[in-house]
Amino acid sequence: MSEQLRFIVEQLNREPFKKSFNLITFDSLDPMQLLQILNDVLAEIDPKHAMDIREELPEQTIKRMCALLGMLKYKPPGNPSDVSSFRQGLVSGSTPVVHPILHWLLQRLPELKKRAYLARFLVKLEVPAEFLQDDVINDTSHQYEELVESFKTYHKECELLRTSGFSTAEIRRDIGAMEEEKDQLIKRVDRLKKRVDSVSNHQRMLDQARQLRVEKEREESLTHQKQEQKNQAEQRLQRAKQQLKDLRQAAADANPESLMKRLEEEIKINSYMVSEKLPKELEAMRRSVQYLQKISSEPAMGQADLQELEDKIKEADSQINQLIEKRMMRSDPMDDKLTLYRQQRDLRGRSQAQDSEGGEIIRTDELKRLVAKLRGKSVMHKKKRQEVSELRAEYGVLQRTEEILKQRHETVQHKLQTMEAEKGISGYSDTQEELERVSAIKSELDEKKGRTLDDMSEMVKKLNSMIVDKKSALAPIITELRSLRQCCQESSQEYEEKKAQYESCTAGLESNRSKLDQEVKALRDDTSQEENRYHYINSMSEVIEKQIQRAAEEMKAYVSSDPQEKKKAIREVYMKNISEQELLGKKLREKQKLVRESHAANMEQMKLWSDLHTLMEAKRQSFIQSQSQTSIGRVIQEGGEDRLVL
């Protein structure tokens, strides 16, 4: 118990409470003061509890404290079922009840602060089941739950960011360093400007340098565009080769009979789409559009209606909160196992009693009409939203059908062009062959004699009827072919326009990507420079730390009382060297003085020695000459050798 009391006193004397208690003064506090200290600790956890307990009733104080302790999941020591004794001890400010609470709260203060903060947003508001049957309240409840889940997600991301290592102090230091570097760069630029201003024709040189930089950037852009165009041309070539290969395979596998059969099937399908399916779908869409226009023309809810609904919702929330407070006053706040069922039972009973009295409550006639109106609007909104989704799905199906028909049309057109290149226009070849055959028959009939003119006229009529039948059979095909050609031209034109748009968009995106690459490169260069500067600063800081450490060691040795330690000090070494150099200088100055005093005598003696040396050199030369004159034609023996001098 003494350890617990000591821990409580130590924590209360620290931040943020700043109390000046000791064990005796804290133990001698009366119950009201002890409850006020407990309330101050709870207010530190949840600021809503910052108040003077003397200004509220004891029942409200105990209810408020019990509610917060229950939310913080505090479990009283001893028998958990003996809750009434715990509440009595809390009301009376008993030390065996309050001290364990303070000890538990002060041990977990940061954790409990976080839990109280999260409880403001994560403790869900219990709505009775009969209220959830209303669509508006049900939708609002779902939105509330979605907001709670989104808060959980954002809180987790915030915690991850806090623990990810980012420090505001480091960021501030980096910003300060960058500001200093910016000032240095500005000063350097100013110095360079002053230096450049003194140069003649500096403006023209700057313009030329600027033009050079612009031309280099333009050269890089043109090189990049050239590479892009080359890649696009290669891709086009590959696509063209693939299309040519597909067309050759299709032409190799095709024959006129199969092509005609396929064309007839496609013509039947297109005729069915044009004459039956598409008109029905267009008619259905027109009816839907008319219906939607009719609905949109109806007057919508204004700001006054929305404000009225918000006021009703706020009133309902306030009544719900009042009911919850009444329930908490009647029941035990620590026992929350049957909270939901009791709340629903109480609210249901109260709503039935108020309905029987006919007072001004939530479910009035006006609110019923408003709810009925909102329910109708909600049902209509859901229905129209479903219709819009169905129309979007149908629109997607129609788009896909249109793409399939366009692809089939292109295939048919290609096959028709192939047949025209080989045999001419479709249908005319058959007609020409039939005419040739008829002419051959006619020539044979002309050659044959003995046939009557009636037979000949009958044969001519038959042939004419055959020709007319063939022409009438070919006429719709030719008409359809012309319409298909026109559609093909329109499709080709649209394809070229879309292709040009795609290529321009691609070029723009590639240019943006190149700019982003350049920015990334510049940022990486800046990062490398900052890293180099960071390493340089670290190295300089280490050098400075070594110097500081060396200075500290020098100061320690200098103030030390040990003579051996003092001798190791650099100051003593330098002082010793200075004294030795001063003695050496003194000796040299004395020597210099002696040299100056004997300089004249020494110079005179040096001159005498020089004259003596000159005299002796002259005598030596004279002796050598006299020896050379007396020894001509004689034998001279020197060093054991005989020489004849002529």
Side-chain angles (χ1 to χ4, degrees), residues 354-371:
Q354 290 173 353
D355 289 337
S356 62
E357 293 174 1
E360 186 65 20
I361 58 171
I362 299 175
R363 295 183 178 275
T364 59
D365 296 335
E366 183 181 358
L367 183 58
K368 287 181 180 179
R369 288 195 300 271
L370 182 61
V371 170

Side-chain angles (χ1 to χ4, degrees), residues 273 278 395-409 494:
M273 294 290 293
L278 292 177
Y395 176 73
V397 173
L398 291 176
Q399 278 188 336
R400 180 59 182 165
T401 305
E402 183 183 2
E403 291 177 358
I404 293 172
L405 291 176
K406 285 182 179 180
Q407 293 176 359
R408 291 182 179 178
H409 173 69
E494 185 179 0

